[in-house]
Amino acid sequence: MDLYLLPGLGADHRIFQRLDTGGHARHHLDHPVMPGDSTLSDFAQALATQVDRTRPHALVGMSMGGMVAQELAAVTSPTRVVIISSWKGPSEMPGGIRSLRGKRPERLLTKSVLERALPFVRWQMGVEDPASEALFNALVNAHTLAQLRVQLAACLAWDGPAMPVSDLVHIHGDKDRLMPIHLIERPVRIPGGGHFMVFDRAEEVSAALMQALAPQD
C-alpha cells in the first residue's frame, strides 16, 4: 500500500527518517509554500495532486501533518488515516493554546522572537538526545519565517476536519508536553513518548503504525 507521510509544523520529511514502514511504498508530502491566510484545508487541496487516488493508500501525519491528513482524507478517500502526536480538533488543544485562537499571535513571530523561543520549543518537543537536537536544529531552517507564520495561523484557526474521519488511528506519547495526552481521545499510547517520538522512539512508533495499517477483521 502507498503511504503518504506528512510532517509537522516547521518540519519536513527528515522527521520520518527512522520510521520503519515495512513493505509499504512511502511518499513524502512536505508542506507547500502557501499564501497568507491559508487554512489547513487549503494545504490539503494543494497536496492532493501528489496523491494517486486510484491506488489503495494511507495518510500518516505527525503533529500539523496529522491535522492536514484529516482534511486530505475527504479528498483522496484513503484506506486508513494514522495521526501521530497530533490533534483531532480544538477540544484536544490545551487551554493556553486555545486561548490564542483568534488573536493572530503569528504576527508577533520575528527572527529574534523565534531565536529566543527555541530553547522552550526544544523542551516542549522533548528534544533531549544529541541526534534529536541535531535534527531539530536542522529543521529550524526548513521553512521561511513567513511560511512558519502561515502554518501557525492555519493550525490555530483549525476547527477540526470538515468531514470526520471514521477509520482513524491516533498514536500519542504519554509524555508529550506540547499536546498533553490527558486531552486526547482514544489514543494508542506510547509510554514515555514525547512530541518528537516519531524520531527518538521510532521503533515503538513504527510498531504501532504497522499494527494500525494491518488489515482489520
Side-chain angles (χ1 to χ4, degrees), residues 121-163:
V121 174
R122 192 180 291 112
W123 176 82
Q124 271 199 319
M125 297 282 287
V127 174
E128 297 169 351
D129 64 273
S132 296
E133 186 170 354
L135 176 59
F136 177 87
N137 292 339
L139 291 176
V140 167
N141 298 312
H143 299 275
T144 66
L145 193 61
Q147 283 302 298
L148 289 178
R149 293 191 194 102
V150 174
Q151 293 175 18
L152 178 59
C155 288
L156 287 176
W158 191 55
D159 291 324
M163 295 180 57

Side-chain angles (χ1 to χ4, degrees), residues 4 12 14 31 35 44 47 55 57 64 96 103 109 111 125 174 190-191 195-196 216:
Y4 292 90
D12 62 22
R14 288 172 287 181
H31 299 305
L47 291 170
R55 293 170 52 86
H57 66 276
M64 173 183 167
K103 294 186 172 67
L109 186 61
K111 183 177 180 181
M125 297 282 287
D174 64 8
I190 301 295
H195 201 66
F196 219 62
Q216 304 296 305

